Amino acid sequence: MRLRTPLALLGSALLVLVGPPLLTPRSGADTGTQIPGLRFMVPNTPGGGYDITARTLAKNAEDAEVTHNIEVFNLPGAGGTVGLTRLVGEHGNGKLVMSMGLGVVGAVRTNKLPKTLADATPIARITEEPDIVVVGKNSPYKTLDDLLTAWKANPAKVPVGGGSSPGGPDHLAPMLMAKAAGVTPKSVNYVPFDGGGELLASILGNKVSFGVSGIGEYLDQIESGDLRVLAVTGPERVPGVDAPTLRESGLDVDFTNWRGLVAPPGLSDAERAKLLALVEKLHDSPQWRDSLKKNNWDDAFLTGEKFGDFLAEEDRRVDSVLKELGL
């Protein structure tokens, strides 16, 4: 997590995959990227950021012939910590990886999980992206100013939904917004959902007044007009999205989310090297580059021990920000 302001958190994304060996020149047989039976765990529900990233990467790996026949499966629960517990329990399993991000870092902290990301094998940080402040097309809030006026008047009656547990990106972003707007973070009515897919239905059904989530999760609904973006949380506007930044709207906050990939503990050096080779090969593929552009994801590639150091720093900073916000 990187703080662009004294409070603003950073973050975005993820990948990995598999398949039976092929002997074509571009198949990955000559690069050590074939891992027959590799499974890709998504620790939240379908439609969320981890899920979209994982399935995008799976398709990219197939199209680029990096590897084949990837199995992607969902194991949701407790902000990603159910999946993390399963992952840590698969000691020595070099054919299982989990997509994750800042949300899992926060969930481990707020749920006081006995197993943490320090128990997993860090593979790679993949992407980062801004969050968006979004409402349904029939919402009375046409601008961020409209929303902030109502929020300041009665925070409890303006529930905000997010696709992460307390301590995750979709929770921290509106809390940082609240503090910058003069709303006491403890008074914010935050409604957590297990991923952006679950959150979407509540935004469209007006079950929450507004939502905060990754932009890549809602591109189709934004383009169709079912969702209206009031602001983006990053330092710059997003191409193709007609919405100002929070800073342009008068809030001194920049915030971006990240996503990455971890594996079980106890891998052999050879197993770890093979997973790293796979993600490096996929990262360099034109298919993945196209997906970055299509989803408005920024490349944030960081592998191995450097990613592990980043995870430890993120944990410390999440703890620091939660304390600073009084949460």
Side-chain angles (χ1 to χ4, degrees):
M1 177 177 64
R2 181 175 65 219
L3 298 183
R4 300 179 189 268
T5 72
L7 288 175
L9 276 184
L10 166 269
S12 106
L14 189 276
L15 85 85
V16 146
L17 325 148
V18 40
L22 298 181
L23 299 180
T24 57
R26 294 176 57 240
S27 70
D30 59 340
T31 62
T33 62
Q34 295 294 333
I35 308 176
L38 182 64
R39 307 179 76 210
F40 198 98
M41 187 198 322
V42 177
N44 63 9
T45 54
Y50 301 153
D51 186 72
I52 291 172
T53 305
R55 294 180 191 281
T56 298
L57 286 162
K59 184 178 188 305
N60 288 167
E62 187 77 27
D63 292 345
E65 298 184 351
V66 173
T67 191
H68 300 274
N69 297 340
I70 302 111
E71 179 188 354
V72 181
F73 69 99
N74 298 79
L75 185 63
T81 59
V82 170
L84 178 61
T85 299
R86 161 75 178 276
L87 185 87
V88 173
E90 294 278 345
H91 189 277
N93 185 352
K95 297 186 177 184
L96 178 67
V97 294
M98 185 181 84
S99 64
M100 49 75 69
L102 179 57
V104 177
V105 176
V108 168
R109 173 65 64 174
T110 56
N111 292 334
K112 297 179 172 58
L113 197 71
K115 298 297 184 181
T116 73
L117 286 164
D119 296 303
T121 299
I123 301 300
R125 184 185 69 190
I126 306 301
T127 65
E128 66 176 355
E129 66 172 342
D131 268 352
I132 52 174
V133 181
V134 64
V135 296
K137 64 180 180 181
N138 297 321
S139 169
Y141 308 122
K142 306 300 182 184
T143 67
L144 187 64
D145 283 343
D146 293 340
L147 173 61
L148 292 177
T149 298
W151 208 19
K152 292 176 184 179
N154 195 333
K157 290 190 175 181
V158 184
V160 50
S164 60
S165 297
D170 299 350
H171 171 250
L172 291 172
M175 295 303 163
L176 293 166
M177 287 172 53
K179 184 165 185 178
V183 176
T184 303
K186 282 188 175 181
S187 71
V188 172
N189 182 4
Y190 178 74
V191 184
F193 294 85
D194 202 354
E198 285 190 359
L199 170 62
L200 177 61
S202 289
I203 299 173
L204 293 175
N206 296 314
K207 303 297 184 182
V208 293
S209 296
F210 68 105
V212 176
S213 188
I215 189 168
E217 299 171 57
Y218 295 158
L219 287 174
D220 290 344
Q221 290 78 19
I222 293 168
E223 292 174 358
S224 70
D226 289 323
L227 293 178
R228 180 165 61 248
V229 182
L230 302 185
V232 296
T233 66
E236 300 176 352
R237 290 193 177 211
V238 174
V241 177
D242 184 20
T245 66
L246 292 176
R247 196 173 295 279
E248 285 180 291
S249 303
L251 299 182
D252 188 19
V253 175
D254 291 331
F255 177 93
T256 53
N257 183 28
W258 59 268
R259 296 191 182 98
L261 185 70
V262 294
L267 301 190
S268 68
D269 289 344
E271 289 170 325
R272 179 176 175 274
K274 202 159 193 177
L275 286 172
L276 288 171
L278 189 151
V279 298
E280 287 166 359
K281 182 76 171 178
L282 183 53
H283 170 259
D284 292 339
S285 71
Q287 288 82 0
W288 175 242
R289 298 293 173 181
D290 288 345
S291 292
L292 287 173
K293 183 177 180 180
K294 177 182 177 181
N295 290 287
N296 285 305
W297 292 334
D298 293 326
D299 188 3
F301 199 53
L302 186 69
T303 61
E305 292 182 1
K306 290 183 179 180
F307 179 45
D309 292 342
F310 172 80
L311 289 174
E313 180 184 353
E314 290 291 84
D315 178 63
R316 291 189 294 270
R317 293 194 178 185
V318 166
D319 182 52
S320 175
V321 170
L322 288 172
K323 288 177 179 176
E324 188 171 355
L325 291 172
L327 301 172

